[in-house]
Amino acid sequence: MMPNRPDDADIMYRLLVQGVTDYAIYMLSTDGLVVNWNAGAQRANGYTAEEIIGHSFAGFYTREDRAAGLPGRNLETARREGRFEAEGWRLRKDGSRFWAHVVIDAIHDDDGRFIGFAKITRDNTEKRASAVKLDAALDNLDLAMSNMAQGLCLIDGEGRVVLANERMHEILAVPGCDPLVGAAIRAVLSEALSEDAALVFVADHLRPDLGLDSSAVSEIVHRERILSVTTRRLAAGGWVSTFVDVTERRQFERQIQHLAQHDPLTDLANRATLHQALTETLASETWESCAVLYIDLDRFKPINDTFGHAAGDQLLQEVARRLRRTVRAQDVIARLGGDEFALILRPADPQHLAGTAQQILEALNQPYAVRRLPIRIGASIGIAAAPLTGRDPDLLLRNADLALYEAKKEGRNRYSFYNPSMGDTAAARASLEADLNRAVEQREFVLHYQPIVRARTGATIGFEALLRWRRPDGVAISPADFVPAAEEAGLMPEIGAWILAEACREAADWPAHLTVAVNVSATQLRSALFIDAVERALAASGLPPHRLEVEITETAVLQNRELALSLLQRLRAMGVMIALDDFGTGYSSLSFVHTFPLTRLKIDRSFVQGLGRDPQSTAIVRAIIGLSRSLRLAVTAEGVETEEQHRLLARERGLDLQGYLLGRPDLPARLDTVGAPRKSLRRAVPKQDPSEEPRSSQAA
């Protein structure tokens, strides 16, 4: 039943307003005084009706707002415009603040006369806190999206962009003022990249059947750019895609892969890449035949030692350039390390291999400019062809290496083809190395000593220690065979140290005027441990240093001239004597005499053998003797084997002799260490023991 009197309606309205607790509803007079007060107002502000009616509503504003005249301006706005609505901080009775949503309406009576204001206030503190948190979260999200390294793109079910961050604009080179939102992703990618790229993306990534727990991952390549794209389907519909520009990463990965597969100095393929290429070549039907060429530079190390590693590196780079110019594009060139190179020729015509190898030798033999000096080096080449020697890559490489060894052994600056007999030679060499290792462990070596006598008096002045080896089966192995094998196997430093210790120990029991000469290998002169071996031998035996003479060859010293010079200078400072063996056969012997701290020259046997038959040999021997006198060096003529040689040499003053005519190498127990002059000499050289070698320099 509807109320039938105006008063009843007013009563019901007041009761309704007063009963509202969620909103503060009260009336203000025309000058802003509180006229009435509902329960919601008491709940919101904390005042009872008796405490607040008749007071200005300005008391609900903060001091700053009151000072700014905000209460009066709000009423003026409501009166002028009919309504004022805003949010802001308001004060409760206890002084606490709450965030209020305020509506002030101007009230007029039935005659249109302005009679006051109706004010409705709602406490939105919690709502505002939630909004602030949401705004903060959105700000953080915007910040995160703006600083993402990936381009982020949210795509709806129709393929349109719903959300895209700044990085997405940058990756696709779309200006920020031209937003992606609302555009079809296919059109965006088509314009930014290409139509093909757009079609691939739509087909691979915007798939309705894409699992919610899986991702679509692919790369889009456009010109020089590479984009990595990952897409996930959303449960609510649509997809989210991330775009990453991986161009630089892929370039870096390619560089790393290139470095792993190539020699950093020459940019040629390395050993691993060569092996892989050979494996693929032999397994391919494209190449009916191929060949491996192993190349080793001749005379490179002396140049490297003389001019420095920087000059050596430049020379190796020039070698690489010459090889590139010599072979074809489909061939593979590799640097195996040091001064070793290899080629895979594919295909390889067996009839043309020799010509190709000769072209390579000629190209590498041309002069190189090192420190503005024209320098020549040669090369040795070993060749193994497939399928003649099989289709196994390791076997082919091994055969090429064996052929290279044969080429170097035959005189260098040449090429050699593999043949099966080389494998037999390699097997024999491996067996010899195994026997040598056993001989070192079981001390199967012995020393024989060959006398050195004065030419005019025949008095013995010392002995040269010569290494001998007889295997347990009784077979005597020539030093010419086992010493090079020991050098290659790296056994000579250990064997050489034993020779020094044994020779010094034996010589310590000889009369004080006798010396002992010990040959020094090239490997010993490449290690500072050689000095330690000499010091230990002298200390253990008690032999005075001046009674020890070490014999060196020019070839051994050339392998590392600077280090050898330093070691020999230290030996000479200790008092050890130093002899240059095979004098006159090297290309820089005079330079050695000038630079190295020598005490003796040993005339090579090739000149001694020509005495009485070859005038040039006689002149060379006399010149060497004269040079030795001028430099105050002792001099020994090696290889004296006939009475005629002895007669001619005995005329020379201050000359020492060594050879089979004067005495064969023998065991210490059978030596004549008294040193008395030899009254008679044998007229014929006895038959040589197979374990002995005429050249004493081969013995250690």
PDB file of all heavy atoms in Angstrom, residues 275-303:
ATOM      1  N   HIS A 275      90.611 -34.710 -41.025  1.00  0.00           N
ATOM      2  CA  HIS A 275      90.182 -36.095 -40.854  1.00  0.00           C
ATOM      3  C   HIS A 275      88.703 -36.249 -41.199  1.00  0.00           C
ATOM      4  O   HIS A 275      88.301 -37.218 -41.869  1.00  0.00           O
ATOM      5  CB  HIS A 275      90.450 -36.539 -39.417  1.00  0.00           C
ATOM      6  CG  HIS A 275      90.282 -38.016 -39.199  1.00  0.00           C
ATOM      7  ND1 HIS A 275      89.033 -38.598 -39.016  1.00  0.00           N
ATOM      8  CD2 HIS A 275      91.184 -39.021 -39.153  1.00  0.00           C
ATOM      9  CE1 HIS A 275      89.191 -39.889 -38.861  1.00  0.00           C
ATOM     10  NE2 HIS A 275      90.482 -40.182 -38.938  1.00  0.00           N
ATOM     11  N   GLN A 276      87.877 -35.283 -40.753  1.00  0.00           N
ATOM     12  CA  GLN A 276      86.451 -35.346 -41.065  1.00  0.00           C
ATOM     13  C   GLN A 276      86.206 -35.226 -42.563  1.00  0.00           C
ATOM     14  O   GLN A 276      85.388 -35.968 -43.142  1.00  0.00           O
ATOM     15  CB  GLN A 276      85.711 -34.234 -40.325  1.00  0.00           C
ATOM     16  CG  GLN A 276      84.206 -34.210 -40.587  1.00  0.00           C
ATOM     17  CD  GLN A 276      83.510 -33.070 -39.867  1.00  0.00           C
ATOM     18  OE1 GLN A 276      84.121 -32.330 -39.100  1.00  0.00           O
ATOM     19  NE2 GLN A 276      82.226 -32.928 -40.113  1.00  0.00           N
ATOM     20  N   ALA A 277      86.912 -34.296 -43.213  1.00  0.00           N
ATOM     21  CA  ALA A 277      86.746 -34.122 -44.661  1.00  0.00           C
ATOM     22  C   ALA A 277      87.179 -35.373 -45.416  1.00  0.00           C
ATOM     23  O   ALA A 277      86.539 -35.776 -46.399  1.00  0.00           O
ATOM     24  CB  ALA A 277      87.542 -32.909 -45.134  1.00  0.00           C
ATOM     25  N   LEU A 278      88.267 -36.009 -44.957  1.00  0.00           N
ATOM     26  CA  LEU A 278      88.733 -37.221 -45.624  1.00  0.00           C
ATOM     27  C   LEU A 278      87.733 -38.363 -45.431  1.00  0.00           C
ATOM     28  O   LEU A 278      87.466 -39.136 -46.367  1.00  0.00           O
ATOM     29  CB  LEU A 278      90.103 -37.614 -45.083  1.00  0.00           C
ATOM     30  CG  LEU A 278      90.753 -38.841 -45.723  1.00  0.00           C
ATOM     31  CD1 LEU A 278      90.907 -38.642 -47.230  1.00  0.00           C
ATOM     32  CD2 LEU A 278      92.103 -39.131 -45.083  1.00  0.00           C
ATOM     33  N   THR A 279      87.167 -38.462 -44.228  1.00  0.00           N
ATOM     34  CA  THR A 279      86.165 -39.494 -43.967  1.00  0.00           C
ATOM     35  C   THR A 279      84.957 -39.322 -44.886  1.00  0.00           C
ATOM     36  O   THR A 279      84.455 -40.289 -45.475  1.00  0.00           O
ATOM     37  CB  THR A 279      85.727 -39.444 -42.498  1.00  0.00           C
ATOM     38  OG1 THR A 279      86.871 -39.639 -41.652  1.00  0.00           O
ATOM     39  CG2 THR A 279      84.693 -40.521 -42.197  1.00  0.00           C
ATOM     40  N   GLU A 280      84.474 -38.076 -45.009  1.00  0.00           N
ATOM     41  CA  GLU A 280      83.323 -37.811 -45.867  1.00  0.00           C
ATOM     42  C   GLU A 280      83.667 -38.055 -47.336  1.00  0.00           C
ATOM     43  O   GLU A 280      82.830 -38.550 -48.109  1.00  0.00           O
ATOM     44  CB  GLU A 280      82.856 -36.367 -45.654  1.00  0.00           C
ATOM     45  CG  GLU A 280      82.309 -36.104 -44.255  1.00  0.00           C
ATOM     46  CD  GLU A 280      82.011 -34.633 -44.023  1.00  0.00           C
ATOM     47  OE1 GLU A 280      82.358 -33.820 -44.907  1.00  0.00           O
ATOM     48  OE2 GLU A 280      81.455 -34.299 -42.957  1.00  0.00           O
ATOM     49  N   THR A 281      84.880 -37.702 -47.718  1.00  0.00           N
ATOM     50  CA  THR A 281      85.292 -37.888 -49.110  1.00  0.00           C
ATOM     51  C   THR A 281      85.334 -39.367 -49.478  1.00  0.00           C
ATOM     52  O   THR A 281      84.838 -39.784 -50.537  1.00  0.00           O
ATOM     53  CB  THR A 281      86.679 -37.259 -49.342  1.00  0.00           C
ATOM     54  OG1 THR A 281      86.602 -35.856 -49.070  1.00  0.00           O
ATOM     55  CG2 THR A 281      87.139 -37.465 -50.766  1.00  0.00           C
ATOM     56  N   LEU A 282      85.913 -40.168 -48.597  1.00  0.00           N
ATOM     57  CA  LEU A 282      86.036 -41.599 -48.889  1.00  0.00           C
ATOM     58  C   LEU A 282      84.687 -42.300 -48.871  1.00  0.00           C
ATOM     59  O   LEU A 282      84.500 -43.324 -49.536  1.00  0.00           O
ATOM     60  CB  LEU A 282      86.980 -42.251 -47.872  1.00  0.00           C
ATOM     61  CG  LEU A 282      88.447 -41.808 -47.960  1.00  0.00           C
ATOM     62  CD1 LEU A 282      89.242 -42.388 -46.807  1.00  0.00           C
ATOM     63  CD2 LEU A 282      89.058 -42.222 -49.288  1.00  0.00           C
ATOM     64  N   ALA A 283      83.730 -41.743 -48.099  1.00  0.00           N
ATOM     65  CA  ALA A 283      82.398 -42.357 -48.031  1.00  0.00           C
ATOM     66  C   ALA A 283      81.481 -41.862 -49.142  1.00  0.00           C
ATOM     67  O   ALA A 283      80.403 -42.423 -49.358  1.00  0.00           O
ATOM     68  CB  ALA A 283      81.765 -42.067 -46.674  1.00  0.00           C
ATOM     69  N   SER A 284      81.882 -40.834 -49.859  1.00  0.00           N
ATOM     70  CA  SER A 284      81.029 -40.239 -50.884  1.00  0.00           C
ATOM     71  C   SER A 284      81.210 -40.946 -52.218  1.00  0.00           C
ATOM     72  O   SER A 284      82.301 -41.410 -52.561  1.00  0.00           O
ATOM     73  CB  SER A 284      81.351 -38.749 -51.031  1.00  0.00           C
ATOM     74  OG  SER A 284      80.662 -38.194 -52.129  1.00  0.00           O
ATOM     75  N   GLU A 285      80.136 -41.003 -52.965  1.00  0.00           N
ATOM     76  CA  GLU A 285      80.200 -41.571 -54.314  1.00  0.00           C
ATOM     77  C   GLU A 285      80.600 -40.517 -55.344  1.00  0.00           C
ATOM     78  O   GLU A 285      80.869 -40.836 -56.494  1.00  0.00           O
ATOM     79  CB  GLU A 285      78.846 -42.172 -54.689  1.00  0.00           C
ATOM     80  CG  GLU A 285      78.414 -43.337 -53.803  1.00  0.00           C
ATOM     81  CD  GLU A 285      77.065 -43.899 -54.216  1.00  0.00           C
ATOM     82  OE1 GLU A 285      76.465 -43.319 -55.151  1.00  0.00           O
ATOM     83  OE2 GLU A 285      76.621 -44.893 -53.613  1.00  0.00           O
ATOM     84  N   THR A 286      80.631 -39.255 -54.895  1.00  0.00           N
ATOM     85  CA  THR A 286      80.973 -38.165 -55.821  1.00  0.00           C
ATOM     86  C   THR A 286      82.426 -38.247 -56.247  1.00  0.00           C
ATOM     87  O   THR A 286      82.774 -38.032 -57.407  1.00  0.00           O
ATOM     88  CB  THR A 286      80.702 -36.804 -55.160  1.00  0.00           C
ATOM     89  OG1 THR A 286      79.339 -36.758 -54.738  1.00  0.00           O
ATOM     90  CG2 THR A 286      80.988 -35.666 -56.121  1.00  0.00           C
ATOM     91  N   TRP A 287      83.306 -38.563 -55.257  1.00  0.00           N
ATOM     92  CA  TRP A 287      84.727 -38.606 -55.550  1.00  0.00           C
ATOM     93  C   TRP A 287      85.129 -40.063 -55.803  1.00  0.00           C
ATOM     94  O   TRP A 287      85.168 -40.881 -54.890  1.00  0.00           O
ATOM     95  CB  TRP A 287      85.533 -38.035 -54.375  1.00  0.00           C
ATOM     96  CG  TRP A 287      84.957 -36.767 -53.826  1.00  0.00           C
ATOM     97  CD1 TRP A 287      84.351 -36.582 -52.627  1.00  0.00           C
ATOM     98  CD2 TRP A 287      84.934 -35.508 -54.482  1.00  0.00           C
ATOM     99  NE1 TRP A 287      83.957 -35.292 -52.478  1.00  0.00           N
ATOM    100  CE2 TRP A 287      84.300 -34.595 -53.602  1.00  0.00           C
ATOM    101  CE3 TRP A 287      85.387 -35.037 -55.719  1.00  0.00           C
ATOM    102  CZ2 TRP A 287      84.105 -33.263 -53.915  1.00  0.00           C
ATOM    103  CZ3 TRP A 287      85.194 -33.704 -56.025  1.00  0.00           C
ATOM    104  CH2 TRP A 287      84.567 -32.840 -55.137  1.00  0.00           C
ATOM    105  N   GLU A 288      85.423 -40.373 -57.016  1.00  0.00           N
ATOM    106  CA  GLU A 288      85.824 -41.741 -57.339  1.00  0.00           C
ATOM    107  C   GLU A 288      87.212 -42.047 -56.804  1.00  0.00           C
ATOM    108  O   GLU A 288      87.541 -43.187 -56.499  1.00  0.00           O
ATOM    109  CB  GLU A 288      85.792 -41.943 -58.854  1.00  0.00           C
ATOM    110  CG  GLU A 288      84.397 -41.821 -59.448  1.00  0.00           C
ATOM    111  CD  GLU A 288      84.414 -42.050 -60.940  1.00  0.00           C
ATOM    112  OE1 GLU A 288      85.521 -42.275 -61.489  1.00  0.00           O
ATOM    113  OE2 GLU A 288      83.338 -42.006 -61.562  1.00  0.00           O
ATOM    114  N   SER A 289      88.047 -41.029 -56.717  1.00  0.00           N
ATOM    115  CA  SER A 289      89.400 -41.227 -56.208  1.00  0.00           C
ATOM    116  C   SER A 289      89.833 -39.939 -55.518  1.00  0.00           C
ATOM    117  O   SER A 289      89.327 -38.846 -55.795  1.00  0.00           O
ATOM    118  CB  SER A 289      90.376 -41.556 -57.335  1.00  0.00           C
ATOM    119  OG  SER A 289      90.443 -40.460 -58.249  1.00  0.00           O
ATOM    120  N   CYS A 290      90.763 -40.079 -54.599  1.00  0.00           N
ATOM    121  CA  CYS A 290      91.324 -38.911 -53.928  1.00  0.00           C
ATOM    122  C   CYS A 290      92.741 -39.265 -53.491  1.00  0.00           C
ATOM    123  O   CYS A 290      93.158 -40.428 -53.546  1.00  0.00           O
ATOM    124  CB  CYS A 290      90.473 -38.481 -52.728  1.00  0.00           C
ATOM    125  SG  CYS A 290      90.507 -39.626 -51.344  1.00  0.00           S
ATOM    126  N   ALA A 291      93.474 -38.255 -53.061  1.00  0.00           N
ATOM    127  CA  ALA A 291      94.846 -38.479 -52.606  1.00  0.00           C
ATOM    128  C   ALA A 291      95.142 -37.549 -51.442  1.00  0.00           C
ATOM    129  O   ALA A 291      94.632 -36.426 -51.367  1.00  0.00           O
ATOM    130  CB  ALA A 291      95.837 -38.237 -53.741  1.00  0.00           C
ATOM    131  N   VAL A 292      95.962 -38.036 -50.520  1.00  0.00           N
ATOM    132  CA  VAL A 292      96.425 -37.238 -49.388  1.00  0.00           C
ATOM    133  C   VAL A 292      97.894 -36.919 -49.597  1.00  0.00           C
ATOM    134  O   VAL A 292      98.696 -37.817 -49.891  1.00  0.00           O
ATOM    135  CB  VAL A 292      96.232 -37.984 -48.052  1.00  0.00           C
ATOM    136  CG1 VAL A 292      96.845 -37.190 -46.903  1.00  0.00           C
ATOM    137  CG2 VAL A 292      94.764 -38.232 -47.791  1.00  0.00           C
ATOM    138  N   LEU A 293      98.239 -35.646 -49.480  1.00  0.00           N
ATOM    139  CA  LEU A 293      99.625 -35.206 -49.583  1.00  0.00           C
ATOM    140  C   LEU A 293     100.046 -34.633 -48.243  1.00  0.00           C
ATOM    141  O   LEU A 293      99.448 -33.669 -47.759  1.00  0.00           O
ATOM    142  CB  LEU A 293      99.800 -34.146 -50.673  1.00  0.00           C
ATOM    143  CG  LEU A 293      99.931 -34.618 -52.129  1.00  0.00           C
ATOM    144  CD1 LEU A 293      98.642 -35.285 -52.601  1.00  0.00           C
ATOM    145  CD2 LEU A 293     100.310 -33.450 -53.027  1.00  0.00           C
ATOM    146  N   TYR A 294     101.030 -35.244 -47.617  1.00  0.00           N
ATOM    147  CA  TYR A 294     101.626 -34.703 -46.393  1.00  0.00           C
ATOM    148  C   TYR A 294     102.822 -33.842 -46.800  1.00  0.00           C
ATOM    149  O   TYR A 294     103.686 -34.290 -47.565  1.00  0.00           O
ATOM    150  CB  TYR A 294     102.081 -35.835 -45.491  1.00  0.00           C
ATOM    151  CG  TYR A 294     101.111 -36.171 -44.383  1.00  0.00           C
ATOM    152  CD1 TYR A 294      99.775 -35.840 -44.482  1.00  0.00           C
ATOM    153  CD2 TYR A 294     101.539 -36.823 -43.232  1.00  0.00           C
ATOM    154  CE1 TYR A 294      98.878 -36.149 -43.473  1.00  0.00           C
ATOM    155  CE2 TYR A 294     100.656 -37.141 -42.212  1.00  0.00           C
ATOM    156  CZ  TYR A 294      99.321 -36.799 -42.338  1.00  0.00           C
ATOM    157  OH  TYR A 294      98.438 -37.101 -41.336  1.00  0.00           O
ATOM    158  N   ILE A 295     102.874 -32.622 -46.289  1.00  0.00           N
ATOM    159  CA  ILE A 295     103.932 -31.682 -46.659  1.00  0.00           C
ATOM    160  C   ILE A 295     104.667 -31.242 -45.397  1.00  0.00           C
ATOM    161  O   ILE A 295     104.037 -30.797 -44.428  1.00  0.00           O
ATOM    162  CB  ILE A 295     103.358 -30.449 -47.380  1.00  0.00           C
ATOM    163  CG1 ILE A 295     102.547 -30.880 -48.603  1.00  0.00           C
ATOM    164  CG2 ILE A 295     104.466 -29.484 -47.770  1.00  0.00           C
ATOM    165  CD1 ILE A 295     101.788 -29.739 -49.256  1.00  0.00           C
ATOM    166  N   ASP A 296     105.977 -31.356 -45.411  1.00  0.00           N
ATOM    167  CA  ASP A 296     106.806 -30.895 -44.298  1.00  0.00           C
ATOM    168  C   ASP A 296     107.845 -29.928 -44.855  1.00  0.00           C
ATOM    169  O   ASP A 296     108.572 -30.264 -45.799  1.00  0.00           O
ATOM    170  CB  ASP A 296     107.489 -32.073 -43.608  1.00  0.00           C
ATOM    171  CG  ASP A 296     108.267 -31.640 -42.378  1.00  0.00           C
ATOM    172  OD1 ASP A 296     107.631 -31.376 -41.346  1.00  0.00           O
ATOM    173  OD2 ASP A 296     109.508 -31.546 -42.461  1.00  0.00           O
ATOM    174  N   LEU A 297     107.899 -28.720 -44.286  1.00  0.00           N
ATOM    175  CA  LEU A 297     108.836 -27.719 -44.781  1.00  0.00           C
ATOM    176  C   LEU A 297     110.258 -28.084 -44.387  1.00  0.00           C
ATOM    177  O   LEU A 297     110.511 -28.532 -43.263  1.00  0.00           O
ATOM    178  CB  LEU A 297     108.484 -26.336 -44.228  1.00  0.00           C
ATOM    179  CG  LEU A 297     107.081 -25.810 -44.548  1.00  0.00           C
ATOM    180  CD1 LEU A 297     106.898 -24.415 -43.974  1.00  0.00           C
ATOM    181  CD2 LEU A 297     106.827 -25.807 -46.053  1.00  0.00           C
ATOM    182  N   ASP A 298     111.190 -27.875 -45.304  1.00  0.00           N
ATOM    183  CA  ASP A 298     112.607 -28.107 -45.027  1.00  0.00           C
ATOM    184  C   ASP A 298     113.268 -26.784 -44.621  1.00  0.00           C
ATOM    185  O   ASP A 298     112.941 -25.720 -45.147  1.00  0.00           O
ATOM    186  CB  ASP A 298     113.312 -28.653 -46.275  1.00  0.00           C
ATOM    187  CG  ASP A 298     112.718 -29.984 -46.722  1.00  0.00           C
ATOM    188  OD1 ASP A 298     112.172 -30.696 -45.866  1.00  0.00           O
ATOM    189  OD2 ASP A 298     112.807 -30.295 -47.934  1.00  0.00           O
ATOM    190  N   ARG A 299     114.180 -26.872 -43.664  1.00  0.00           N
ATOM    191  CA  ARG A 299     114.998 -25.723 -43.222  1.00  0.00           C
ATOM    192  C   ARG A 299     114.148 -24.602 -42.625  1.00  0.00           C
ATOM    193  O   ARG A 299     114.561 -23.440 -42.646  1.00  0.00           O
ATOM    194  CB  ARG A 299     115.844 -25.183 -44.375  1.00  0.00           C
ATOM    195  CG  ARG A 299     116.780 -26.201 -44.995  1.00  0.00           C
ATOM    196  CD  ARG A 299     117.681 -25.574 -46.048  1.00  0.00           C
ATOM    197  NE  ARG A 299     116.946 -24.966 -47.148  1.00  0.00           N
ATOM    198  CZ  ARG A 299     116.491 -25.634 -48.193  1.00  0.00           C
ATOM    199  NH1 ARG A 299     116.692 -26.934 -48.281  1.00  0.00           N
ATOM    200  NH2 ARG A 299     115.828 -25.027 -49.146  1.00  0.00           N
ATOM    201  N   PHE A 300     112.962 -24.950 -42.108  1.00  0.00           N
ATOM    202  CA  PHE A 300     112.138 -23.898 -41.505  1.00  0.00           C
ATOM    203  C   PHE A 300     112.616 -23.533 -40.106  1.00  0.00           C
ATOM    204  O   PHE A 300     112.662 -22.355 -39.737  1.00  0.00           O
ATOM    205  CB  PHE A 300     110.677 -24.345 -41.445  1.00  0.00           C
ATOM    206  CG  PHE A 300     109.797 -23.414 -40.659  1.00  0.00           C
ATOM    207  CD1 PHE A 300     109.405 -22.193 -41.189  1.00  0.00           C
ATOM    208  CD2 PHE A 300     109.379 -23.733 -39.375  1.00  0.00           C
ATOM    209  CE1 PHE A 300     108.604 -21.322 -40.468  1.00  0.00           C
ATOM    210  CE2 PHE A 300     108.579 -22.879 -38.646  1.00  0.00           C
ATOM    211  CZ  PHE A 300     108.189 -21.674 -39.195  1.00  0.00           C
ATOM    212  N   LYS A 301     112.975 -24.527 -39.309  1.00  0.00           N
ATOM    213  CA  LYS A 301     113.320 -24.252 -37.911  1.00  0.00           C
ATOM    214  C   LYS A 301     114.522 -23.313 -37.769  1.00  0.00           C
ATOM    215  O   LYS A 301     114.490 -22.393 -36.946  1.00  0.00           O
ATOM    216  CB  LYS A 301     113.569 -25.552 -37.152  1.00  0.00           C
ATOM    217  CG  LYS A 301     113.596 -25.351 -35.640  1.00  0.00           C
ATOM    218  CD  LYS A 301     113.696 -26.665 -34.913  1.00  0.00           C
ATOM    219  CE  LYS A 301     113.497 -26.449 -33.417  1.00  0.00           C
ATOM    220  NZ  LYS A 301     114.365 -25.409 -32.878  1.00  0.00           N
ATOM    221  N   PRO A 302     115.612 -23.492 -38.530  1.00  0.00           N
ATOM    222  CA  PRO A 302     116.706 -22.525 -38.406  1.00  0.00           C
ATOM    223  C   PRO A 302     116.274 -21.095 -38.705  1.00  0.00           C
ATOM    224  O   PRO A 302     116.738 -20.153 -38.058  1.00  0.00           O
ATOM    225  CB  PRO A 302     117.733 -23.027 -39.439  1.00  0.00           C
ATOM    226  CG  PRO A 302     117.448 -24.484 -39.564  1.00  0.00           C
ATOM    227  CD  PRO A 302     115.963 -24.620 -39.414  1.00  0.00           C
ATOM    228  N   ILE A 303     115.376 -20.939 -39.681  1.00  0.00           N
ATOM    229  CA  ILE A 303     114.883 -19.591 -39.997  1.00  0.00           C
ATOM    230  C   ILE A 303     114.054 -19.058 -38.836  1.00  0.00           C
ATOM    231  O   ILE A 303     114.181 -17.899 -38.434  1.00  0.00           O
ATOM    232  CB  ILE A 303     114.062 -19.621 -41.296  1.00  0.00           C
ATOM    233  CG1 ILE A 303     114.981 -19.949 -42.479  1.00  0.00           C
ATOM    234  CG2 ILE A 303     113.342 -18.300 -41.520  1.00  0.00           C
ATOM    235  CD1 ILE A 303     114.251 -20.119 -43.788  1.00  0.00           C
TER     236      ILE A 303
END
